[in-house]
Amino acid sequence: YSYETWQKTMLIDYEKTQLGFKHPDYLRLLKEYRDGIILFELTDQMVWSKALKDTSGLKSYHDKIKTKWTWDERVDGTVYKCLDIKTATLVRKYLKKGKDDVFILENINKQSKLNVRVEAGVFQRKDRPEIGDLKFKKGVSKIVKVGENFSVLKVNKVIPSTNKSFSEVKGLVTAEYQEYLMEEWINTLSSKYKLEYNESVYNQLVK
């Protein structure tokens, strides 16, 4: 560590302390950066992280607005998408006789696995365009033709329209809760402090 190195280090350190006086724009930029970090940390504490950690508050907020997210009428059942009317007629015949999906697939898809496709689950009408406007009713439906597709619907249970559960919409609720917390925080600050606009600074930002 030579004298020249020490001297250079001292000069650089001194020059750093003078940047604000020699370059006002740099000083303003540095202040904005520091203020930005403080604002980010405060916002995280008052809004973002709070919404994630405040489980009881989040659930309570969901209870107030849960009607925003609802399921349409749904069915617990199975859709049989058939290659043609002949296949659909045979599928419906088997279903009426109480045959299960394994039997149907083994007997109808011997030549081709594309003859009938079986898709089971819980779904809304809009999730299954291939069933058209078919009325939801427990049992085996009539054959439905939508476009070039032939389908048969087996309904195990009809589920009336209902609000979606908290777990089903947690992400959406969290996002709205964060917006709510942000608005509440801003209102609290507005009631405590007088807000003033610096027009000259604003004009500099716009430019």
Side-chain angles (χ1 to χ4, degrees):
Y1 192 76
S2 63
Y3 173 76
E4 288 78 9
T5 302
W6 172 84
Q7 187 179 44
K8 184 178 180 180
T9 302
M10 293 294 291
L11 289 172
I12 291 175
D13 290 342
Y14 174 75
E15 187 64 23
K16 287 180 180 179
T17 65
Q18 301 302 305
L19 285 174
F21 301 103
K22 295 182 178 180
H23 306 284
D25 288 343
Y26 169 77
L27 189 64
R28 183 167 60 249
L29 179 63
L30 187 62
K31 183 178 184 303
E32 290 178 0
Y33 175 73
R34 288 172 177 168
D35 290 346
I37 291 177
I38 294 173
L39 178 60
F40 177 86
E41 291 179 347
L42 279 172
T43 305
D44 182 60
Q45 178 183 342
M46 300 299 295
V47 179
W48 301 325
S49 292
K50 183 176 180 180
L52 296 174
K53 295 176 182 178
D54 184 14
T55 306
S56 60
L58 187 60
K59 288 183 177 180
S60 177
Y61 183 74
H62 168 256
D63 289 339
K64 295 177 182 178
I65 62 171
K66 60 185 178 182
T67 54
K68 289 188 64 174
W69 299 285
T70 59
W71 288 111
D72 295 339
E73 182 182 49
R74 293 174 292 165
V75 294
D76 175 350
T78 308
V79 177
Y80 300 83
K81 296 194 283 189
C82 307
L83 182 64
D84 49 36
I85 186 64
K86 181 180 177 181
T87 302
T89 301
L90 187 55
V91 167
R92 190 171 186 274
K93 177 182 176 181
Y94 284 147
L95 289 172
K96 283 289 190 178
K97 289 183 177 181
K99 302 300 183 181
D100 61 21
D101 294 346
V102 174
F103 178 90
I104 291 173
L105 290 170
E106 286 180 348
N107 283 271
I108 296 181
N109 282 354
K110 285 181 179 180
Q111 302 301 322
S112 172
K113 292 184 178 180
L114 298 178
N115 285 339
V116 60
R117 287 175 291 169
V118 179
E119 298 179 4
V122 176
F123 49 84
Q124 305 173 100
R125 184 185 307 281
K126 64 185 178 183
D127 299 328
R128 295 290 179 179
E130 65 271 22
I131 65 174
D133 58 357
L134 185 67
K135 183 179 179 180
F136 288 160
K137 182 180 179 181
K138 186 175 181 180
V140 180
S141 76
K142 63 181 181 180
I143 297 173
V144 183
K145 185 178 186 296
V146 177
E148 299 301 318
N149 301 310
F150 296 87
S151 302
V152 178
L153 174 64
K154 183 181 73 174
V155 177
N156 301 318
K157 181 173 64 173
V158 178
I159 306 171
S161 176
T162 184
N163 295 327
K164 292 184 179 181
S165 67
F166 173 72
S167 60
E168 290 171 326
V169 292
K170 185 177 180 180
L172 296 172
V173 176
T174 300
E176 291 222 6
Y177 189 45
Q178 287 174 335
E179 291 181 8
Y180 167 77
L181 291 175
M182 177 68 81
E183 186 177 347
E184 288 293 296
W185 183 35
I186 291 175
N187 289 338
T188 299
L189 292 175
S190 299
S191 65
K192 289 184 177 180
Y193 306 102
K194 182 180 179 181
L195 183 62
E196 295 182 357
Y197 291 96
N198 189 317
E199 189 172 350
S200 62
V201 173
Y202 173 77
N203 291 332
Q204 290 177 21
L205 293 173
V206 172
K207 293 178 182 179

